[in-house]
Amino acid sequence: MKVKEFRTKFNDVYIYCIGDIHIGDSNFSKASEEKLKGYIEFIRKTPNAYCILQGDLLNVATRVSKTSPFDQNLDLKEQIEKAVDLFKPIKHKCLGAVDGNHESRISDFTGYSPTISVCERLGIDYLKDSAVYLIRMGCHSLKDIPRTTFTIYSAHGCGGGKTVGSKMNRVDAMRNIVSNCDVYASGHNHMLGCIPTLTQVVNPATGRVDMVRQMLVDTGSFLDWNESYAERMQLQPSKLGSPRIHLIVERKTINGIEETHKDCHVSL
């Protein structure tokens, strides 16, 4: 597991978790690409918008995978070129990237992931299997004390099932790995969803037990359902796209005491 710190002067930030694009798959259609470009354009033109890459950017079909390389419309070299071209406008706003199971098809055989090639060409941090992002808000310089910090645990994910509940259970299981994050983001099952949950955390500094809200986020995909692996396996269609995570920090005066408050919203 990697830890990536990101400092920003903003007191509200948009984070897009983008993954399961499967560049090279014939079901990554022109409409899918235009939808993805819409997200990229919003991130490019919005100063306080950033993205996290969730894996399966590339399709990486092989002779022994469930999808055939002969059903792809781009070979692996072309898939990497396409990914670089798509994300080049926001390469400075991509906080990091993890592998998906499709990229792992290559690394399992050779020890080298094609995600590394994409990251190196774009100057993005390659974080391999999973990462905790520390989003430090209200920092105008590296020396500033942050107003507050949000934490996001990101991984591509694995397993799942056919039902909505089983898919979200896989995201919820991430809390058994790292318990105190604000957001848990996982992909792989191609569903777009979010469940807000509450947990109680002991605060040794105050001697209180604080109630903390945590967001379980399924990060969606960009593959059309018709004539796809999902249709063949009778998996439920899901809305295409990526979730938008809105992190907000503000000062509030309650009972005459000024306190820092964190808030998080997820749009699908």
Side-chain angles (χ1 to χ4, degrees), residues 6-201:
F6 174 68
R7 299 172 73 90
T8 176
K9 66 181 180 180
F10 297 110
N11 291 317
D12 73 298
V13 165
Y14 296 105
I15 304 290
Y16 283 83
C17 296
I18 299 178
D20 288 289
I21 304 172
H22 296 275
I23 295 169
D25 190 304
S26 58
N27 287 92
F28 178 61
S29 63
K30 290 183 178 179
S32 301
E33 184 174 337
E34 289 305 308
K35 191 173 188 69
L36 174 61
K37 286 180 177 178
Y39 284 97
I40 291 172
E41 178 60 15
F42 178 87
I43 295 167
R44 185 193 67 79
K45 70 180 184 181
T46 305
N48 61 332
Y50 304 90
C51 80
I52 290 171
L53 300 181
Q54 289 283 139
D56 279 5
L57 305 181
L58 315 174
N59 197 48
V60 199
T62 72
R63 289 295 300 272
V64 295
S65 65
K66 292 180 180 179
T67 51
S68 168
F70 305 112
D71 291 334
Q72 297 184 132
N73 52 28
L74 298 173
D75 64 27
L76 182 54
K77 179 178 181 296
E78 293 168 329
Q79 292 172 36
I80 293 171
E81 295 282 352
K82 183 78 170 180
V84 171
D85 287 344
L86 283 168
F87 286 98
K88 187 179 295 183
I90 57 169
K91 61 182 182 179
H92 58 298
K93 307 188 88 177
C94 292
L95 305 188
V98 296
D99 277 329
N101 60 296
H102 279 237
E103 289 89 3
S104 295
R105 291 169 173 174
I106 297 295
S107 56
D108 285 349
F109 278 98
T110 67
Y112 183 84
S113 167
T115 308
I116 297 173
S117 295
V118 176
C119 289
E120 286 181 344
R121 293 181 60 178
L122 291 173
I124 297 171
D125 286 338
Y126 170 65
L127 303 174
K128 199 173 181 181
D129 295 315
S130 68
V132 173
Y133 293 90
L134 307 177
I135 313 296
R136 304 204 187 278
M137 312 274 282
C139 302
H140 289 270
S141 73
L142 292 176
K143 296 180 180 179
D144 279 356
I145 298 174
R147 179 164 286 182
T148 197
T149 298
F150 285 87
T151 52
I152 301 174
Y153 182 33
S154 165
H156 178 68
C158 60
K162 290 188 175 183
T163 67
V164 171
S166 63
K167 292 178 180 181
M168 292 306 302
N169 282 341
R170 294 301 303 174
V171 187
D172 187 34
M174 297 173 74
R175 296 198 292 168
N176 297 326
I177 302 171
V178 183
S179 64
N180 61 336
C181 290
D182 296 296
V183 178
Y184 295 85
S186 178
H188 182 64
N189 57 43
H190 294 197
M191 189 178 82
L192 193 59
C194 176
I195 295 177
T197 62
L198 293 175
T199 191
Q200 298 186 107
V201 178

